[in-house]
Amino acid sequence: MFSNNIFVGGEFYSDDEWVGDQRTLTTEGMYFLNGGRACLTVIAHFLQTQGFHDILLPAYLCPTILDVLEAAGLQYSFYRVHEDLTIDIRDLQRKAAGQQAVYFINYFGFPQPQPVQQCLQTLQQQGRLLVEDNAQAGFMEHTLGDLTFNSMRKLCPQDGGYLQTRFDLSGIIAQYAGRLNRRLPVIRVYRRKLRAYLLEGAGNFEELEQLFRLSEQYYLSDEVIEGDERERRQIEHMDWEGIRQKRRENYLFLLEHLSGIPTIQPIFPSLPPEVMPMGLLVYVQGGARDRVYQELGNASIGLVIHWEELLHDPRTNGDGEVVNMASRMLTLNCDQRSSEKQLEYLVHKLQEKIVASD
């Protein structure tokens, strides 16, 4: 039914299919930085220079956010997030009473529901600063944050992040000027070689692993803030409307074809018209998540757990609800590279492995 060399998802490889001659994004007034981590580093330093000592965070988040905040000398506490990744309004209101800043996430490109947005706006009107994390959402039509940022490498094979705010952050960014970006040459070679490996059968997997690990090591250690103009040009000349449409088609295809698997529970079972989904986020019930993740990986299907680190990080694994969510969650690929045949392969293998565990 399927060829032996079919694959789905995984890291992005070099791909000019979606890049054209015309600029497609209007990004005037935004800071273009090295990535989501760079954006958050600048935000954290801004808060620190403005006399902010702490920030209120959603309990369900990537623990690397905590690393960045701690490095800037900020303290934090958490408010509750429901299993469907919506904010618990009552808990947020109660815990925001003594806070200066509130951080919220639009998970996987899905905006928080209107009642939550209204609550956040009320807190903002009362003087709290809102930090809006769109790392998984790209460019959203409507934003609430006083400081809003994204991370492009989650959506395409380019590095960069856009930070939008009314505040002048140029002085903070200037402090990091001139730092050597050791990651970019490595990740570019990786993406080029990954393409050859996947599409032509050239190269070897061990070399790819080494390149990727080295690129991630540089990304975490070098604290490069400035964005690269070559990366920026690629990003701003991509057919984002076409990418959005393709991702939506793939998301709806998966929703339809996974509906008969009771063990798989989509967290966002409908797709609002304004959403460009990062992936199809599901809960795998019955304790089968880790086995399914491993076996589909063995079948050349790249899946992601958001975020497995929550289970092991002592800053987060004391929250039973968070641990329960993180132990069942899995992100299925629906990005713009995926053809219907690849998605059929994903569904087939997922059904096969789920049935095998019943």
Side-chain angles (χ1 to χ4, degrees):
M1 180 179 179
F2 298 101
S3 64
N4 292 329
N5 62 350
I6 194 167
F7 65 92
V8 183
E11 291 294 324
F12 283 102
Y13 51 78
S14 297
D15 184 5
D16 293 332
E17 177 183 354
W18 298 94
V19 181
D21 296 329
Q22 301 300 316
R23 191 164 180 243
T24 59
L25 289 177
T26 301
T27 58
E28 284 75 12
M30 300 182 189
Y31 296 98
F32 179 70
L33 304 179
N34 188 49
R37 188 182 182 93
C39 292
L40 185 54
T41 297
V42 171
I43 290 170
H45 281 234
F46 169 75
L47 294 177
Q48 194 272 335
T49 60
Q50 297 300 304
F52 287 63
H53 304 295
D54 51 21
I55 185 169
L56 185 61
L57 305 173
Y60 206 88
L61 82 178
C62 179
T64 59
I65 293 171
L66 308 181
D67 298 336
V68 175
L69 298 177
E70 289 175 358
L74 291 174
Q75 299 179 349
Y76 50 81
S77 54
F78 300 105
Y79 61 84
R80 182 172 179 256
V81 176
H82 297 295
E83 279 200 353
D84 63 359
L85 295 179
T86 61
I87 292 171
D88 184 319
I89 294 177
R90 290 187 178 181
D91 197 51
L92 172 62
Q93 290 173 327
R94 181 172 62 85
K95 292 178 178 176
Q99 295 287 336
Q100 299 169 293
V102 174
Y103 188 112
F104 73 99
I105 300 173
N106 290 315
Y107 297 95
F108 297 87
F110 289 79
Q112 289 288 330
Q114 276 300 317
V116 173
Q117 293 186 41
Q118 292 167 3
C119 174
L120 289 166
Q121 287 178 309
T122 298
L123 292 174
Q124 189 178 45
Q125 292 163 2
Q126 293 172 348
R128 279 80 169 189
L129 205 69
L130 293 187
V131 177
E132 182 170 354
D133 183 338
N134 285 330
Q136 299 175 330
F139 295 93
M140 299 194 72
E141 185 175 352
H142 302 290
T143 60
L144 299 177
D146 298 289
L147 299 128
T148 301
F149 72 98
N150 63 20
S151 176
M152 301 311 299
R153 70 176 185 147
K154 296 178 174 61
L155 302 169
C156 64
Q158 274 79 41
D159 278 21
Y162 291 84
L163 172 53
Q164 184 175 7
T165 183
R166 67 181 184 277
F167 301 112
D168 182 1
L169 304 179
S170 56
I172 295 174
I173 296 170
Q175 295 176 27
Y176 296 88
R179 295 198 178 190
L180 177 65
N181 194 328
R182 295 189 294 171
R183 167 183 159 83
L184 272 181
V186 178
I187 197 64
R188 285 169 178 165
V189 171
Y190 167 80
R191 287 168 177 157
R192 187 172 66 249
K193 287 180 176 288
L194 179 61
R195 179 184 181 87
Y197 178 78
L198 291 174
L199 302 185
E200 303 165 16
N204 66 83
F205 185 72
E206 290 73 20
E207 181 188 11
L208 287 169
E209 278 193 318
Q210 291 174 1
L211 285 168
F212 184 74
R213 282 198 299 266
L214 181 60
S215 72
E216 289 298 287
Q217 176 186 325
Y218 287 153
Y219 184 75
L220 295 174
S221 66
D222 289 0
E223 220 171 34
V224 174
I225 298 300
E226 294 176 309
D228 178 83
E229 283 305 310
R230 174 177 158 188
E231 300 293 293
R232 179 174 189 160
R233 187 188 186 283
Q234 290 281 101
I235 292 167
E236 296 184 7
H237 285 73
M238 295 184 76
D239 178 11
W240 285 104
E241 183 52 39
I243 290 172
R244 174 182 174 276
Q245 185 59 36
K246 180 62 174 173
R247 283 175 169 267
R248 289 179 60 84
E249 290 173 0
N250 288 344
Y251 190 96
L252 293 172
F253 179 94
L254 289 176
L255 271 183
E256 178 184 352
H257 287 78
L258 294 174
S259 60
I261 309 177
T263 311
I264 300 296
Q265 175 190 342
I267 296 177
F268 299 108
S270 61
L271 185 61
E274 73 274 15
V275 170
M276 181 179 75
M278 178 184 166
L280 177 62
L281 192 62
V282 301
Y283 284 123
V284 182
Q285 310 293 8
R289 196 279 306 275
D290 290 347
R291 185 188 58 76
V292 168
Y293 173 75
Q294 181 174 358
E295 293 189 8
L296 265 64
N298 293 338
S300 299
I301 297 173
L303 305 175
V304 184
I305 295 173
H306 291 91
W307 290 272
E308 188 172 21
E309 299 93 332
L310 289 166
L311 301 172
H312 313 291
D313 194 310
R315 298 169 297 184
T316 59
N317 64 7
D319 186 325
E321 188 171 25
V322 166
V323 168
N324 180 41
M325 292 163 64
S327 64
R328 295 182 290 128
M329 200 177 288
L330 197 60
T331 306
L332 308 181
N333 177 73
C334 72
D335 69 48
Q336 61 270 20
R337 298 169 294 173
S338 298
S339 66
E340 185 170 304
K341 182 178 180 180
Q342 288 172 307
L343 297 180
E344 287 174 346
Y345 177 70
L346 166 59
V347 171
H348 170 74
K349 286 295 180 181
L350 190 57
Q351 289 173 326
E352 182 179 85
K353 300 308 176 184
I354 291 294
V355 169
S357 67
D358 290 344

